[in-house]
Amino acid sequence: MIKHIDHKKMGRGEHSWLTSIHHFSFADYYNPDNVQFGILRVLNDDIVAPDTGFDTHPHRDMEIITYVIDGEITHADSMDNKGTLKRGEVQYMSAGTGVLHSEHNFGNDTLRFLQIWILPDAPNYEPNYGDYRFKWKDRENKWLALVSSTENKKSAAPIKIHADINIYATHITKGNESIFKIGKDRQAYLVLIEGKAAVNDIAKLTAKDALEIVAEDIAIKADSDAHILILEMAEPNSAQFNGE
């Protein structure tokens, strides 16, 4: 099963310093039929003006991934971590029992990033932070493993979180095709970050569109250079822990 989600029909957040597309219910956007996809609870496509950002605020019991698209993001938290990341780089934070953090754009250019919240497999983990400066060439016309579960010893992903999920990125050059396999009882959420692409000769995607994919392999044909993120996970079950 494949469901195409037009970004123009997603939730919106408009502020003087922030423009956000909400893939799922978030802040002032609430749709009871669109709260989450499996353990994927939040996916926001945020554009932040220069010299602004998210001031210090709390989180707990959530695995948080930040994927930088354009500009630079500067992180600081109550665990004394600080750092600045740029295009194609990733930071992660296990909020666990509780953490305070801020995210700012101290640069002169607009910042765009994906903010991703994933429900952990249990509450009350010890808070943790890290980042990884992936090389852009490592995703050119191939799937680059970014994130996997702490329990997944076979994955090459350097970022490990407390959730059964695998996150990959790719940049497919125009005219090329890529296959992504989704096994039995698994599902995936695909975001076309930049470009245009066709999936299984059915869905025609433009930049910022998404797909829900359940138990079906996909073939992606790049109609232009296409920058893509895929989050692959188990289909949901009643025993799933719901964080906040």
Side-chain angles (χ1 to χ4, degrees):
M1 185 278 288
I2 296 178
K3 179 182 177 181
H4 178 200
I5 305 163
D6 187 333
H7 74 276
K8 294 186 290 295
K9 298 179 181 178
M10 295 178 183
R12 286 288 193 278
E14 298 284 348
H15 307 277
S16 60
W17 59 277
L18 169 69
T19 300
S20 184
I21 294 176
H22 305 316
H23 286 244
F24 306 101
S25 294
F26 188 86
D28 293 334
Y29 165 64
Y30 178 69
N31 178 348
D33 297 321
N34 187 36
V35 174
Q36 64 194 75
F37 180 75
I39 58 173
L40 177 58
R41 174 59 189 87
V42 169
L43 201 159
N44 293 340
D45 192 325
D46 289 339
I47 296 177
V48 181
D51 203 28
T52 66
F54 300 88
D55 292 332
T56 301
H57 59 282
H59 288 291
R60 65 168 295 134
D61 289 331
M62 195 67 70
E63 306 293 287
I64 300 173
I65 306 292
T66 302
Y67 184 91
V68 184
I69 302 167
D70 286 311
E72 295 184 347
I73 190 169
T74 298
H75 169 95
D77 64 42
S78 54
M79 298 177 285
D80 293 326
N81 296 297
K82 294 182 179 179
T84 299
L85 299 176
K86 58 186 180 180
R87 179 171 171 82
E89 298 176 343
V90 179
Q91 69 178 18
Y92 62 99
M93 186 171 68
S94 292
T97 55
V99 66
L100 300 171
H101 79 125
S102 64
E103 309 291 343
H104 286 99
N105 176 13
F106 291 131
N108 297 318
D109 300 318
T110 298
L111 163 67
R112 181 185 171 202
F113 67 96
L114 298 182
Q115 177 186 178
I116 301 164
W117 295 6
I118 298 161
L119 299 171
D121 53 29
N124 298 320
Y125 281 111
E126 181 180 354
N128 184 36
Y129 170 85
D131 52 47
Y132 203 90
R133 288 159 173 77
F134 294 95
K135 296 178 180 179
W136 186 263
K137 66 181 180 65
D138 290 339
R139 79 203 76 198
E140 290 283 5
N141 293 309
K142 56 188 174 184
W143 292 104
L144 171 62
L146 308 175
V147 178
S148 71
S149 167
T150 55
E151 303 301 316
N152 187 347
K153 307 304 182 184
K154 296 181 179 180
S155 173
I159 297 172
K160 301 295 185 180
I161 64 172
H162 302 293
D164 179 8
I165 194 166
N166 299 290
I167 304 179
Y168 304 87
T170 188
H171 183 262
I172 309 171
T173 52
K174 182 179 179 179
N176 283 319
E177 185 173 283
S178 183
I179 305 297
F180 191 91
K181 294 185 177 295
I182 299 171
K184 182 182 178 182
D185 300 325
R186 305 290 291 183
Q187 61 184 23
Y189 195 81
L190 179 152
V191 181
L192 180 59
I193 299 170
E194 299 167 302
K196 296 180 180 180
V199 177
N200 287 8
D201 295 322
I202 300 172
K204 295 285 188 179
L205 280 67
T206 58
K208 301 186 180 182
D209 284 0
L211 291 179
E212 293 180 358
I213 309 157
V214 178
E216 183 172 346
D217 296 343
I218 57 172
I220 306 166
K221 178 70 176 293
D223 296 329
S224 69
D225 286 2
H227 183 190
I228 296 168
L229 194 77
I230 280 186
L231 304 97
E232 185 269 348
M233 67 202 82
E235 291 188 45
N237 61 70
S238 59
Q240 176 179 298
F241 165 71
N242 288 318
E244 59 181 297

